[in-house]
Each structure stands twice: as structure tokens, then as C-alpha cells.
Amino acid sequence: MNDAVPAPVSVPAPASAPAPASSSRRVRVRAPELVGKGGWLNTGDTSYTLADLRGRIVILDFWTFCCINCLHVLDELRELEEKHRDTVVIIGVHSPKFVHEAEHQAVVDAVERYQVHHPVLDDPELATWKQYAVRAWPTLVVIDPEGYVVAQHAGEGHAHAIERLVEELEAEHTAKGTLRRGDGPYVPPEPVATDLRFPGKALVLPGGNLLVSDSTRHQLVELAPDGETVVRRIGSGERGFGPDSFSEPQGLALLPDGKVIVADTVNHALRTYDPADGAIETVAGTGRQWWQGSPTAGPALEVDLSSPWDVAWWAGRVWIAMAGVHQLWTYDPATGTVEVAAGTTNEGLVDGPAAEAWFAQPSGLAATEDRLWIADSETSALRCVERDGDGGGDSDGGGSGAGAGFVIRTAVGTGLFDFGHRDGAAGQALLQHPLGVTALPDGSVAVSDTYNHALRRYDPSTGEVTTLATDLREPSDAVLVGEDIVVVESARHRLTRLRLPDEAVRVEAVAHRTQRAATDVAPGALRLEVVFTAPSGQKLDTRYGPSTRLLVSATPPELLVDGGGTGTELSRELVLADVVDGADGVTEGVLHVSAMAASCDDDPANEYPACHVHQQDWGVPVRVTESGTSRLGLVLAGLDA
């Protein structure tokens, strides 16, 4: 997640911790205590200290529920959690980005929504985050049975390394007599009986019934036109990738042949459902998550996808909000192929030719004749795809491929760090993590403004944003039914029918900025270092060339005078804007850093060693000041075992 805020140190690590050491010289750093004003979840109302967990291997997962990378890590950890359940205790430390995420009930909802089966510490004020000097969502910290920190990893793709470390710690502490086996502190909450449980998206079927993705129950549910009466359930209800199962499905769209295409989000796949005979078929994706270096085009069933969140039929094909990699892809049923249509995989808000645009977890799509509207959730933005020239664009449309001839424009939103609830002219209006967008008959669009619990409206003809309804609970989508609009109230587990109002609701304006202090950096030269230590038993994979990649850019671009672009070294000399004698210039902004490292198993006897990709994006708010640091450090993976 591109919202990390590193402190000016060379190797971010738990408070007072040194840089990672080798397995022959493990440095022992006592883990700080776990504190959080929100209290504990999934423990039966019991609070825990690290002393209570002594003898167990503890994995702290610093996450926030808006973050797609954090959701990926939850899924990565499921197998490890089950396999080592008698020795390992995973504790989620919920560390919010958005104001809504600091609400305790919202965290309770998210823990159930994403089926988190381990204790969670609700830390709304980031107390534990600060104690461990965490810099990014997600971050994993491993604590040994004696209460010492032994590893820290930022980003995704580290489950294999952590499992290897867990096995080493099990062996070491079994021999020392310091490992305590047994049941962990997890206590599941009582189940609640509702027809829907955290529904995601909805679709009106040709016969008038409503189809809803019932994400937490891994099903589709067909409802009568009243939006309440259950007609049928589609799918087994068990998480899986079988012929009759889904895994947290979200987006739905009607295809010209009458079938429904489904964004089967956690299966990283597209499925079709035929209302005529109930058949479910996989049409795109392999069930594996896409990683950097994987193909981005080809036969649909051979190309990996990454958390497709919504789908829409537009311009003769299915457009996919690929939230997991901050892109738009397309699927062409006629040729059975997929390809990237827009986005670079960098997380942020950059308009222009489709191939050069940046997105941040696109999560909602709505098609009109001339535009494809996008709810770009992490930038709290409403954006659109237009054919080049429709709005007076002067770009080349983004080169070849599915995105050729298209440009990306932002209607509402400014970037990753600003959000709120403010109506008025689009240039100053604010949203908060919207997940859905709906085309209205008059040419305007309704935005499911999820974390503001509101339904908003943007009118392209006037450039104005208004509020249609409030007091909704995490609305994630809406569909038109006659003169009404039916809203998916995800956190109230229901559909809510509203009459589109003639006048806007008056709402007191509020504006927020993500509460992560900017790092003071000196003007001029800045040394950037991304620390990566190959996990135990692995080495950098250099068989096919450089095994690391570093991409650096800035918002605004003028902040970064030199050192931007892509390279293969994980350290780089940057040059920032120099503000001299108080003259006007760039004094603050965001450094965007994306790092990737590939490692493989270090076993000379194995002709085909397993290889692994480690990657993370950071968005580093910086303030240029003469007293600032000239060195900036980020940790991709630091492992001293």
C-alpha cells in the first residue's frame, strides 16, 4: 500500500533494533509491548500482553482494512496459521489510514468480513505501530518464544520466508525447552443469522430479480424485486475454486449473451454464471495471484490476475478493476484473451494516456456510452476512461493494446492522502474511499462513498458534487430499479431502496489528511536505501539478470530534480528541489518508491529451485527543510535468521 511514512533512519526496524544479522549471529532485541486503545478482538474479551504469549512464536501483522495488499497478506498467512497453529500466534495490529477505520465497530466488521481467524489488537492511535517503527501497510514482525524480535518484512510475498523461519524457531526452541505448544488465544465470535453477510455488488437481472455478491459467505444470492426475498443461492458457500465455489466474490456484469460475469476476487479469477441453467465456468485467471514479471496479456485461462474487484461491459469487452495491481484490464470473450488496458502498477493518481496512468485500488466501474467511470478507492477519487479526443485530449492514447486510444481523467479527488466529505465544485470536493459508481439517467453518476456512509452525485455538466443520502453503512454499490436506486449497504448486510431525491442533502463539510507525519528531508542530495536481506536458505536470483528493481518518482514531479525512473540497484542518489532563501518553490510532496527483489532456494542439488518475489510500494510524504535528513531508509525484508 502506497502510504508508508518512513522516519529518517537508514534501516527502519523495531524501536532501537539494529540492522538484520546473519543466522550465525542473531541479535536479540526485546519486543515492545502491545497496546491499543481499541482493545482486543477475537479473544473472548480477554486482553493479552507479550508475557502471556511467552513460549509461542508470535507474528504481528500490521494492517488496515482498506489496503488490498493487507488483504493479500491475510490470505497468504492462512495456510501457515493452520499448519503451525500449536506453535504460532498471529496477531493482527489494526493501524488505520482513514478516519472511518479508526472506528471500533468498523474494525469489528472488517475482522468478520475478511474472516480473520486470529486475535486482533485495535490500535486507532497507532501506539504499537510507533513502538515497532513500522513504516508501511502491510508489515509483518516475527517475535521468538523468548520475546525477541527476529524479523521484519514490508509488503507481500513473504509467507514462504516466514514459514522457513518458523520451522527454524520451532527446532531451536524445542531444543532449548522454551517452546510452548497448545491452543492459541483465538476465540471465534458468535455467528449472526442474516440473509446476506457483507454483500459487495449488485446487478438487476433481465427478469427483474436482483443478483448480489454475498462476499463473506462466498456465494451469489438471487433476490426477488423487493430486494429481500431470497430466490436462490449460487455456490456452495465454502471458500474455494471448485466448479461450485467462490472466494469473496465482488463485481457483477451482464454479458450480451445473457450470462453474468463475476469478479471472483480472492480466487484472482473471472467466472461466468448462467441464470438459465445455473452453470458456473471459469473464463479468466489461474487461481494464482499476479506478480511483477508475470505475463500481462494472453489466453485468459493462462494469465494470472490480482484481486479483480469489479467488472463492466464497455467498448465491446469486459473491463476489469484490477484492484490488486492498481490497473484496469480487459477480457475479450470473443478471443478468450486478457490484457492490461490502463495503469502502470504504480499506486497513485496520475492522469493521461491509459498506459501511463496511475490508479490506487480501482474498485467500482460503471459504463455509459462515452465513458467508463471508476471509483478509485485509495485516492478517494472518481475517475473515468474516455476515448482520446472525446474531452479535447491531446495525448496519443497510450500506445498499442487494449488501452490504445483511451485517456484517463479525474473528476473528483487529489491523491492518496486527502479525503473527507465536502460538496461543491469538483475541484475542491472530497470523498472517502468510495467503492462503487452508478450511471444515472440524466448523465450524472452516483458514487457509493463508502467510508462516509453516503451516496454522492457528480454532474459532469455542472462539475458539481452533491450528497444524495446519508446514514448508510459502508455502501459499496448501487443499481437503478425503475425510479429508485437500490444501495448495497454492505455493513448492514442488506439492500436499501431509496427514491432519487430532487434536492441534495445538506452535509457539514469536513476535510482530512492521512495522519502520518511527513519526513523532513534536506534540499539537494538525498540518499535512498531500500534494505533487502534474502531469507534464510535463499539467495538473490541472478540466473536471468538483475534480481532487484527500484522505481522512484514524485508528486509533484518538480519535487524530484534527479534520480527518478527505474533501475536495478536498491540504493540511489536522489536530488530534491532546492528552496533557497525562502524563495517560492516545492517545499513538500510525496516520494513514490516501488521495490522488488527476487530470491530462490539456495540448494545446489536442486536443478529447479523454487523462486519467490518480494515487492512493496511506498508513498513517502516529505517536507523539504534545511534541517532535514539527507538519508532515507526503507526495509523491504530484514531477517536475522
Side-chain angles (χ1 to χ4, degrees):
M1 180 175 179
N2 197 357
D3 287 325
V5 180
V9 294
S10 59
V11 182
S16 74
S22 67
S23 58
S24 62
R25 188 171 59 85
R26 181 176 295 156
V27 178
R28 295 170 66 80
V29 177
R30 179 67 68 182
E33 192 52 81
L34 306 177
V35 292
K37 284 195 172 182
W40 290 79
L41 287 72
N42 283 355
T43 63
D45 296 325
T46 299
S47 298
Y48 285 89
T49 65
L50 285 176
D52 298 326
L53 303 173
R54 198 62 49 82
R56 310 298 291 272
I57 301 165
V58 177
I59 300 173
L60 302 182
D61 176 16
F62 290 87
W63 70 300
T64 188
F65 64 77
C66 72
C67 167
I68 192 67
N69 311 90
C70 298
L71 304 186
H72 289 168
V73 168
L74 286 176
D75 292 317
E76 287 178 5
L77 293 176
R78 293 187 197 278
E79 183 177 349
L80 182 149
E81 188 170 28
E82 178 61 27
K83 183 177 179 181
H84 298 274
R85 62 189 309 167
D86 66 332
T87 60
V88 170
V89 174
I90 297 176
I91 294 175
V93 182
H94 189 267
S95 313
K97 169 188 173 181
F98 289 99
V99 170
H100 171 59
E101 293 176 303
E103 298 176 13
H104 181 69
Q105 185 57 48
V107 182
V108 173
D109 289 342
V111 167
E112 181 188 354
R113 179 194 297 269
Y114 297 116
Q115 298 182 317
V116 180
H117 292 166
H118 51 250
V120 172
L121 175 63
D122 183 10
D123 185 18
E125 297 180 352
L126 306 183
T128 296
W129 166 288
K130 294 171 185 175
Q131 285 289 333
Y132 281 81
V134 173
R135 308 296 183 229
W137 296 283
T139 290
L140 298 170
V141 175
V142 182
I143 302 171
D144 73 12
E146 295 179 285
Y148 293 92
V149 173
V150 294
Q152 178 174 330
H153 296 268
E156 306 176 48
H158 303 296
H160 58 280
I162 291 177
E163 180 165 11
R164 177 71 176 265
L165 174 58
V166 164
E167 291 170 349
E168 293 181 1
L169 291 172
E170 286 175 341
E172 175 185 339
H173 289 274
T174 295
K176 292 174 66 174
T178 50
L179 184 69
R180 176 167 56 91
R181 295 179 180 268
D183 293 334
Y186 171 64
V187 178
E190 290 294 324
V192 181
T194 54
D195 288 331
L196 301 174
R197 206 69 191 163
F198 297 104
K201 306 289 186 180
L203 173 70
V204 180
L205 294 171
N209 283 357
L210 294 161
L211 189 66
V212 182
S213 55
D214 198 19
S215 60
T216 299
R217 294 208 175 113
H218 314 296
Q219 290 181 313
L220 309 181
V221 179
E222 185 176 341
L223 301 174
D226 62 9
E228 298 179 3
T229 305
V230 175
V231 175
R232 63 176 58 85
R233 295 183 178 275
I234 299 100
S236 66
E238 296 295 326
R239 182 192 296 272
F241 195 35
D244 66 342
S245 56
F246 299 95
S247 187
E248 299 182 31
Q250 288 285 342
L252 307 167
L254 195 64
L255 298 178
D257 64 3
K259 294 181 181 179
V260 175
I261 193 156
V262 183
D264 195 3
T265 304
V266 178
N267 276 328
H268 309 294
L270 300 185
R271 322 288 291 281
T272 56
Y273 162 65
D274 190 343
D277 60 12
I280 298 170
E281 180 184 0
T282 301
V283 296
T286 63
R288 298 184 300 270
Q289 183 183 341
W290 185 92
W291 289 99
Q292 289 286 352
S294 300
T296 58
L301 291 171
E302 299 176 13
V303 178
D304 299 338
L305 309 182
S306 183
S307 297
W309 208 273
D310 204 3
V311 283
W313 179 262
W314 188 64
R317 60 187 63 193
V318 176
W319 288 68
I320 310 162
M322 201 72 77
V325 286
H326 319 299
Q327 291 180 313
L328 303 180
W329 288 39
T330 63
Y331 162 64
D332 186 347
T335 61
T337 57
V338 294
E339 60 181 315
V340 173
T344 64
T345 76
N346 295 315
E347 188 179 7
L349 193 153
V350 176
D351 288 343
E356 301 171 13
W358 290 22
F359 298 94
Q361 289 178 217
S363 301
L365 300 175
T368 64
E369 183 176 349
D370 58 349
R371 292 184 180 96
L372 180 70
W373 292 99
I374 309 155
D376 201 29
S377 62
E378 278 299 296
T379 54
S380 297
L382 173 65
R383 307 174 72 187
C384 68
V385 184
E386 295 178 344
R387 292 176 177 85
D388 187 24
D390 284 0
D394 56 3
S395 76
D396 63 6
S400 61
F406 294 101
V407 294
I408 309 302
R409 305 189 191 283
T410 297
V412 183
T414 60
L416 287 162
F417 301 99
D418 294 293
F419 57 92
H421 192 152
R422 187 164 64 199
D423 288 335
Q428 56 87 50
L430 294 172
L431 309 169
Q432 185 180 181
H433 197 80
L435 291 177
V437 59
T438 307
L440 300 179
D442 63 357
S444 66
V445 290
V447 179
S448 295
D449 194 5
T450 310
Y451 288 2
N452 279 328
H453 312 298
L455 190 67
R456 311 285 293 283
R457 177 177 179 264
Y458 168 70
D459 187 345
S461 67
T462 64
E464 292 288 313
V465 176
T466 54
T467 297
L468 298 177
T470 59
D471 195 31
L472 303 168
R473 186 68 184 172
E474 293 193 18
S476 55
D477 196 19
V479 293
L480 289 173
V481 179
E483 296 182 354
D484 296 339
I485 189 165
V486 175
V487 180
V488 180
E489 277 199 272
S490 190
R492 282 201 177 110
H493 320 293
R494 71 186 188 191
L495 304 187
T496 298
R497 184 182 296 263
L498 304 172
R499 179 58 57 94
L500 282 171
D502 294 327
E503 296 184 2
V505 176
R506 292 189 177 276
V507 178
E508 183 178 352
V510 292
H512 303 287
R513 189 169 177 83
T514 302
Q515 296 302 304
R516 308 287 182 269
T519 298
D520 287 341
V521 293
L526 177 68
R527 178 72 176 177
L528 172 66
E529 295 180 344
V530 175
V531 177
F532 175 76
T533 302
S536 178
Q538 296 179 26
K539 62 180 180 181
L540 286 174
D541 184 5
T542 57
R543 292 172 297 165
Y544 308 108
S547 59
T548 56
R549 188 191 72 169
L550 181 65
L551 172 64
V552 181
S553 62
T555 302
E558 295 77 18
L559 173 67
L560 187 59
V561 176
D562 193 20
T566 303
T568 58
E569 299 295 327
L570 291 182
S571 61
R572 188 180 301 179
E573 294 291 340
L574 309 180
V575 178
L576 301 184
D578 195 350
V579 183
V580 181
D581 297 329
D584 291 340
V586 178
T587 59
E588 61 180 18
V590 179
L591 285 175
H592 302 280
V593 181
S594 177
M596 185 272 289
S599 62
C600 61
D601 294 344
D602 188 9
D603 181 2
N606 186 354
E607 185 178 359
Y608 303 104
C611 296
H612 317 277
V613 176
H614 318 263
Q615 63 184 55
Q616 172 67 0
D617 294 340
W618 293 268
V620 186
V622 295
R623 182 171 46 241
V624 181
T625 173
E626 293 293 344
S627 60
T629 183
S630 60
R631 192 179 187 192
L632 186 64
L634 302 168
V635 61
L636 176 60
L639 188 66
D640 66 9

